[in-house]
Amino acid sequence: MTARVVLLVTSPRLPAGLLTAAAWDLVRENQVFAAAESEQVAAVRAAGVEVSIGGVDALLAAARERGTAVWLAGPAGDQELARTLGMRIAREPGLAELELMYGSWDPPGARLLDAVSAMDRLLSPGGDPWKRQQTHATLAQFMLEEAYEAYDAIAAGDLAALREELGDVLLQVVLHARLAEELPDGERWTVDDVAGDLVEKLVRRNPHVFAGVTVSSIEEITENWERIKRAEKARGSAVEGIVLAQPALALAAKLLERVERAGLDVPAPAQPSTVENEGELGAALFALVAAARGRGLDAEAALRRAALEFADAVRAAEA
């Protein structure tokens, strides 16, 4: 009978003891070893399974004696032990067969837990002094910068850069949430509150997915979203809640969009015949935004593209 060693790997991001039925059968039927004490070891012991702390020699001896021995990998995977065991078996063919089993695995989004854990370490005593000194106000500029850098990556069609920049945006979200944990009682909230609010909003505003509401078009989905949003946030004006800090062209386009959705007949400023002061300039620009929107064009993106083309012309002239 060939000895068998099963390397049982589990996710450190799931609660200890949360294993598949096959993994539980394996540890209950065979001798189990681990390199060190861990929450997973404690959970398996609490279920009545004996776990020995030992090394490769003890593991192989148990496998030869009983036919199968289980190595319960630690949170980091025990890569050094797996390498040593693999080399030992490679040098001595027939010593034992090595098998890998996943007792649990990361669900989608599990690495977000790592991001939260890393941020907690950075903002806890002994962490990063700079981050510990920040406030929501001091970080506001970075939230804008990271969002613009993600926009740049999208505009450039650079998906690798977009992945990185979205990570920086996520950093801002996790950092703000961790800072909020230090607020006084009654004001405090956590990243779980942020995620919980988001999930509730997604479920509430997408009844065609979560509540069995029948829709026949994208337009109907959008109308439902806006109707539910209006019911959630009672506003005295169609333009209430618009982000005023956004770039002026984007602000003008958003105002026009809100007026259109509200079905209001409020004409945009007429194109002035002259542009001799800021008032006339503003009216002219607003009229251009309105004309662009009427043709399905994005004035903000168009001006940005023209500015970038001018920058290229400057570089060409310098060369």
Side-chain angles (χ1 to χ4, degrees):
M1 179 180 64
T2 302
R4 182 176 70 133
V5 174
V6 181
L7 180 61
L8 182 59
V9 178
T10 61
S11 169
R13 301 173 186 89
L14 294 179
L18 188 62
L19 305 177
T20 63
W24 274 118
D25 289 343
L26 180 73
V27 298
R28 287 188 174 117
E29 295 170 0
N30 300 283
Q31 190 168 356
V32 181
F33 291 83
E37 300 291 344
S38 68
E39 291 184 3
Q40 196 67 271
V41 168
V44 171
R45 281 191 183 134
V49 176
E50 181 180 347
V51 181
S52 303
I53 305 301
V56 171
D57 291 337
L59 179 67
L60 289 172
R64 289 194 299 270
E65 178 183 349
R66 303 190 179 188
T68 298
V70 179
W71 186 271
L72 183 58
D78 296 344
Q79 294 183 3
E80 185 60 34
L81 178 136
R83 188 180 303 109
T84 301
L85 181 61
M87 292 178 63
R88 177 84 174 270
I89 292 175
R91 288 197 302 266
E92 302 179 49
L95 180 63
E97 293 180 351
L98 183 58
E99 180 182 327
L100 176 64
M101 175 184 282
Y102 288 95
S104 62
W105 48 88
D106 291 344
R111 294 308 301 270
L112 292 174
L113 299 175
D114 291 343
V116 172
S117 178
M119 187 58 66
D120 181 66
R121 173 82 178 274
L122 288 167
L123 266 74
S124 295
D128 179 11
W130 184 87
K131 288 183 177 59
R132 287 172 56 81
Q133 290 180 354
Q134 301 311 304
T135 66
H136 297 301
T138 62
L139 292 171
Q141 60 174 324
F142 301 112
M143 180 72 82
L144 282 176
E145 289 174 7
E146 302 301 355
Y148 280 130
E149 288 178 4
Y151 183 99
D152 279 348
I154 294 171
D158 190 336
L159 296 183
L162 177 59
R163 171 179 169 176
E164 178 182 354
E165 298 304 339
L166 288 176
D168 290 340
V169 173
L170 178 61
L171 183 152
Q172 294 300 311
V173 174
V174 176
L175 177 52
H176 277 278
R178 180 58 181 80
L179 288 173
E181 293 183 27
E182 308 294 333
L183 294 172
D185 289 343
E187 300 178 25
R188 188 178 303 144
W189 43 269
T190 70
V191 69
D192 286 318
D193 296 317
V194 175
D197 290 347
L198 172 61
V199 171
E200 290 176 4
K201 180 184 294 184
L202 290 175
V203 171
R204 195 168 55 244
R205 294 189 185 178
N206 291 278
H208 59 289
V209 176
F210 298 102
V213 172
T214 301
V215 293
S216 57
S217 65
I218 298 297
E219 290 73 19
E220 193 172 346
I221 292 174
T222 303
E223 289 173 3
N224 284 341
W225 178 285
E226 291 299 328
R227 175 181 52 77
I228 296 169
K229 184 176 179 179
R230 286 194 299 270
E232 292 172 356
K233 300 181 178 181
R235 288 171 172 163
S237 169
V239 297
E240 186 176 334
I242 291 178
V243 179
L244 302 180
Q246 62 186 302
L249 290 179
L251 173 60
K254 192 66 178 180
L255 287 166
L256 290 166
E257 177 189 348
R258 283 287 187 87
V259 168
E260 180 182 315
R261 285 185 179 180
L264 299 174
D265 184 15
V266 182
Q271 177 79 46
S273 57
T274 61
V275 178
E276 298 181 354
N277 53 57
E278 285 192 358
E280 292 178 345
L281 176 59
L285 291 172
F286 202 102
L288 282 174
V289 173
R293 179 171 171 75
R295 291 171 174 78
L297 302 175
D298 184 339
E300 183 76 27
L303 179 59
R304 178 184 178 82
R305 190 176 301 110
L308 293 176
E309 290 174 355
F310 181 74
D312 289 339
V314 171
R315 294 188 186 95
E318 291 171 335

